[in-house]
Amino acid sequence: MKMMKIGSKMPLSARVFCTMLFALAFVTLEWSPTGAAVVRALGVSVAAMAPMAGSQAGKFQPDAAEAAFVRDVSERLGQKYPDTRSALAAGYYQTTKLEPDGTTIWFNNRWSGVSKYSPNFLWYDKHGRLAGLDYQYEVSAWPNPPAKNVYPVRRSRWTTIDPHIHFAYKTPSGIIKRRGARMLPNLQGRTVTAQQLRAAKLLPPNATLLWTYVHPKAWDLGFWVVPNPSGAFAELNPNVRP
């Protein structure tokens, strides 16, 4: 698999690309006997696509309307959710470890009530400071992404995320591991059990499952709130480092 989140379509949003590429690499490294070969393949793909990324850098810069929108949201959410402590108090929780783009993802378990100043996903840097966000809407409820009068961005800024799962467990030594994986076959509803994860060789026999959630197919709009010379919609931000 190349530079693509699990089951996603190009073009990618910054956050979703990094999230799912990391999740896939993590699962492969820990559980697949051919993990090393997969990682080498990913490395080749990233290198091969580097020239293309440079030639398309301009597309990540917002136009005037988008820049005003990003600036407004960044200022408001910088006051509302400046750090992980404020996010935790508002009902968000950390769903990933620190990713290659230098952020962790926090989710509030909500797929409804998402709005301009109430995104359902927030990104925090390694110091616990707000770095970016995602607005995500279930495709089953939204055949098309929200209109431009709701989010004044180009239609191409919206990407889709295919169904997958997230979960966390505690090892006997007390270490908490957060992981993401492809959707399990024959999964019914929104519940994933420890038995199902163990059967899929995703949960170690001696680990304690802490939480799970099923991520449905969704529209995604993500951008950085930390100023980014590469553009608010770029995949990486040189001002945010792992």
Side-chain angles (χ1 to χ4, degrees):
M1 184 171 289
K2 298 184 179 181
M3 288 181 63
M4 189 176 299
K5 62 184 178 291
I6 297 174
S8 68
K9 299 178 181 178
M10 296 294 282
L12 299 174
S13 71
R15 162 56 35 182
V16 177
F17 160 74
C18 293
T19 301
M20 297 314 298
L21 178 58
F22 174 76
L24 178 59
F26 187 86
V27 171
T28 301
L29 280 171
E30 186 164 353
W31 298 108
S32 173
T34 59
V38 173
V39 172
R40 284 196 296 272
L42 284 171
V44 170
S45 299
V46 171
M49 294 186 71
M52 181 184 72
S55 66
Q56 297 183 357
K59 73 177 184 179
F60 300 122
Q61 295 290 347
D63 60 27
E66 291 174 331
F69 168 66
V70 170
R71 184 168 54 251
D72 177 39
V73 171
S74 299
E75 291 176 357
R76 181 69 68 90
L77 295 191
Q79 298 172 0
K80 191 176 181 181
Y81 308 117
D83 51 35
T84 54
R85 181 181 300 178
S86 58
L88 190 63
Y92 293 83
Y93 64 99
Q94 184 180 340
T95 65
T96 69
K97 64 183 296 183
L98 190 68
E99 298 177 350
D101 68 350
T103 68
T104 58
I105 298 179
W106 291 61
F107 177 42
N108 63 2
N109 275 341
R110 295 179 60 183
W111 296 102
S112 61
V114 180
S115 63
K116 180 178 180 180
Y117 301 126
S118 296
N120 42 359
F121 291 87
L122 299 172
W123 322 339
Y124 287 91
D125 67 14
K126 63 183 178 182
H127 302 294
R129 299 174 299 206
L130 184 65
L133 60 92
D134 288 296
Y135 302 102
Q136 294 193 16
Y137 290 81
E138 288 188 79
V139 170
S140 61
W142 294 76
N144 296 295
K148 199 168 184 178
N149 65 328
V150 180
Y151 298 102
V153 299
R154 281 174 258 172
R155 173 64 174 76
S156 60
R157 301 297 188 197
W158 290 93
T159 61
T160 55
I161 307 173
D162 278 356
H164 59 278
I165 61 173
H166 286 271
F167 59 97
Y169 61 84
K170 182 183 291 186
T171 67
S173 62
I175 297 174
I176 294 177
K177 292 184 177 288
R178 299 174 177 87
R179 298 190 55 191
R182 294 175 181 273
M183 182 66 77
L184 297 180
N186 303 317
L187 182 66
Q188 300 296 323
R190 296 287 180 88
T191 302
V192 183
T193 67
Q195 182 179 5
Q196 289 172 312
L197 291 173
R198 288 198 174 97
K201 301 188 183 304
L202 295 173
L203 181 67
N206 57 354
T208 301
L209 185 63
L210 300 178
W211 54 259
T212 69
Y213 80 82
V214 174
H215 191 300
K217 186 171 185 178
W219 293 105
D220 174 79
L221 171 65
F223 55 83
W224 298 93
V225 301
V226 172
N228 187 354
S230 302
F233 301 100
E235 294 170 353
L236 300 175
N237 187 335
N239 291 325
V240 179
R241 299 183 179 277

